[in-house]
Amino acid sequence: MYAIIEGGATPKGRVRVSGAKNSATRLLAAALLSDDTVELSNFPTRLVDVGHKIQFCQTLGADIRVDHESEHLTIQASALRAKLLSRDEFDVPIRTTYLLAAGQVIRSGLARVPYPGGCPIGGGSGGGRGYDLHMMVWRNLGANVTEREDHIEISAPDGFKGGAINFPISTVGGTENALLCASVADGRTEVHNAYITPEIEDLIALLRRMGAEITVSGTSHIVIDGRAGKLSGARMPVMTDRIEALTWVVYAILAKGEVTIDQVPFSPMQVPLLHIEHAGVDLLKNSQSIHVTPDCLRSGLVQPFELACGAHPGVISDMQAFYVMLGLAASGTSRIFDYRYPERIAFVSELAKLVDGDHLAAERGRITVKGPARFKAGVADSTDLRGSMAAVIAALCADGQSKILNVQMALRGYNDLSGKLSQLGARISIHED
């Protein structure tokens, strides 16, 4: 899949931030823990990742009804069962497949989940993230885990049992998996060195509405008193996407547009927005929106900066590419460090193809940006979700026609991307290969 972009248009108008990808797919997994109906509003129904996960859950027997117009999901998972599928059916291009284990185990005493897919940004075999910590979660909760040729098999005939989980590193996915499995386990589970992000707080909120007993102490200790079986039904909206909100802010700054961004989740974005303001951008804000105009640049250019990506509440790694973009509009040299995923630099060489001159340099854990730079039309490939979106923004800011290859990576994280860009006046079309 690729995008053809006619760049150079100045964005004007309003754009609404959708429900967060990194929350929505987790809430969908939590909904599988009940035989009752679970309804999720503000759900980003047009995300590529969401489509893949819904299709796989339906293959396992779940009844999921999608309303694209109202962005609403209705899940009834009483018929969900572990199934031995074909190799093609197990070939699901999403990273969070491990979250589908708990819903199967509570009904079948067994789960079969595809190997995690996703962005090749370092960590596991084949360049993708590993899944060893998920295997540890299942085993510590009493399951036997077997790695088959095309899937992982988790066997717990009597269900999960409460236990102790001590993560050697803080892990978002591991924490999510532990919450889901421990909520339906028999007995108490204590999770140490958990990573509690805003999206995980959203997951905890839904699990509590469904009847789970979860106590959070500090920023890394969670105690779950399991229900020893299925949870109840519930209704809840998905939190809005902090990474999408940041994306629109940066795009509007770079393109010198007049854009109002609605449904901004300000609470989890305090530090990321503070870095933008410290770079000389005077953001106009009310309780739920940000208005960006050329007048927001107090000196006419972004001021050079240095920042380090790490854990929430700071600038997380998924935001790194957008600060690289911001640095290209700065009047000097900016440096962006990433201590959590230091190998996340592949997108830089592709982004450079859309920048006029030598302005970008990357080495493990550090990206150096020499601004100000001009964007130019060209052809660039997508290396990961956020890197793909950075390339899309560069092409939108360049005069002329550009082609972004493998743009489905960006579509994994941005709900109705082409529709939202079009309503701002951008010219983009998505094509199948």
Side-chain angles (χ1 to χ4, degrees):
M1 188 176 289
Y2 63 93
I4 297 296
I5 295 171
E6 299 289 344
T10 301
K12 292 184 179 181
R14 307 183 79 96
V15 62
R16 183 179 66 85
V17 180
S18 294
K21 163 190 177 284
N22 289 339
S23 175
T25 52
R26 281 66 169 177
L27 300 189
L28 173 56
L32 304 180
L33 303 183
S34 176
D35 278 351
D36 301 328
T37 299
V38 176
E39 296 184 32
L40 301 174
S41 57
N42 196 40
F43 201 96
T45 58
R46 291 180 173 87
L47 290 182
V48 171
D49 271 18
V50 164
H52 286 305
K53 182 163 280 189
I54 287 175
Q55 185 177 18
F56 188 79
C57 293
Q58 290 171 331
T59 300
L60 296 181
D63 179 10
I64 302 176
R65 300 178 187 179
V66 182
D67 187 332
H68 292 295
E69 190 66 29
S70 63
E71 297 189 342
H72 192 93
L73 220 63
T74 304
I75 305 103
Q76 221 293 333
S78 58
L80 184 89
R81 295 292 183 273
K83 296 181 181 179
L84 185 59
L85 305 175
S86 69
R87 179 185 294 272
D88 287 343
E89 288 173 315
F90 273 127
D91 186 14
V92 183
I94 54 176
R95 195 171 63 240
T96 57
T97 55
Y98 46 80
L99 300 181
L100 302 173
Q104 296 178 57
V105 166
I106 58 174
R107 295 179 177 89
S108 305
L110 179 74
R112 297 184 176 98
V113 299
Y115 284 101
C119 300
I121 62 173
S125 61
R129 288 186 178 90
Y131 48 88
D132 55 318
L133 295 180
H134 302 292
M135 296 172 66
M136 182 192 80
V137 167
W138 295 321
R139 286 169 174 155
N140 285 18
L141 297 182
N144 292 316
V145 183
T146 305
E147 296 175 78
R148 304 294 186 189
E149 184 178 358
D150 53 6
H151 67 278
I152 305 171
E153 189 172 280
I154 304 99
S155 176
D158 298 320
F160 290 118
K161 306 298 180 184
I165 299 171
N166 296 280
F167 289 119
I169 59 170
S170 59
T171 162
V172 172
T175 302
E176 294 163 343
N177 198 11
L179 280 164
L180 293 170
C181 296
S183 291
V184 295
D186 183 7
R188 171 171 288 191
T189 299
E190 290 202 36
V191 184
H192 299 275
N193 201 24
Y195 187 9
I196 304 174
T197 66
E199 292 79 12
I200 286 180
E201 290 174 342
D202 219 27
L203 174 60
I204 290 172
L206 177 60
L207 289 170
R208 283 172 171 164
R209 290 191 187 199
M210 296 174 69
E213 296 184 31
I214 301 171
T215 304
V216 178
S217 302
T219 59
S220 62
H221 182 222
I222 304 175
V223 176
I224 307 107
D225 288 304
R227 286 280 296 271
K230 301 172 193 125
L231 304 181
S232 304
R235 296 178 180 178
M236 199 178 92
V238 179
M239 67 173 287
T240 50
D241 197 318
R242 54 185 170 145
I243 305 170
E244 182 190 346
L246 178 69
T247 304
W248 296 123
V249 170
V250 171
Y251 170 45
I253 293 169
L254 292 175
K256 299 180 174 60
E258 295 185 12
V259 179
T260 300
I261 302 131
D262 293 320
Q263 288 195 196
V264 177
F266 283 106
S267 179
M269 291 185 68
Q270 292 181 14
V271 175
L273 291 177
L274 192 63
H275 277 288
I276 290 179
E277 291 171 341
H278 283 179
V281 183
D282 190 10
L283 296 174
L284 305 176
K285 297 176 286 188
N286 62 23
S287 61
Q288 67 166 7
S289 302
I290 295 176
H291 186 58
V292 180
T293 73
D295 293 337
C296 288
L297 290 177
R298 292 192 289 267
S299 65
L301 285 171
V302 174
Q303 299 306 304
F305 57 89
E306 290 193 0
L307 64 83
C309 301
H312 175 76
V315 175
I316 61 173
S317 183
D318 275 350
M319 297 176 173
Q320 178 206 66
F322 306 111
Y323 288 96
V324 172
M325 297 295 292
L326 195 66
L328 289 168
S331 58
T333 300
S334 300
R335 295 177 180 84
I336 299 93
F337 302 87
D338 193 336
Y339 300 124
R340 190 165 180 84
Y341 294 110
E343 304 295 340
R344 196 170 195 164
I345 57 176
F347 76 94
V348 175
S349 60
E350 293 301 319
L351 178 61
K353 297 175 182 178
L354 302 173
V355 178
D356 190 10
D358 187 13
H359 294 271
L360 292 164
E363 57 187 281
R364 189 178 188 274
R366 181 172 69 177
I367 299 171
T368 302
V369 188
K370 295 179 181 179
R374 284 194 324 111
F375 295 103
K376 65 178 183 180
V379 179
D381 202 355
S382 302
T383 59
D384 65 275
L385 192 165
R386 308 304 169 181
S388 179
M389 191 60 204
V392 168
I393 291 175
L396 290 167
C397 294
D399 290 326
Q401 186 181 94
S402 297
K403 184 177 184 179
I404 308 301
L405 306 174
N406 291 306
V407 75
Q408 70 271 12
M409 291 194 179
L411 302 181
R412 286 179 49 213
Y414 293 88
N415 192 50
D416 191 24
L417 176 60
S418 59
K420 290 182 178 181
L421 286 171
S422 296
Q423 73 187 35
L424 293 177
R427 292 164 292 185
I428 178 173
S429 56
I430 307 295
H431 305 267
E432 298 290 340
D433 290 318

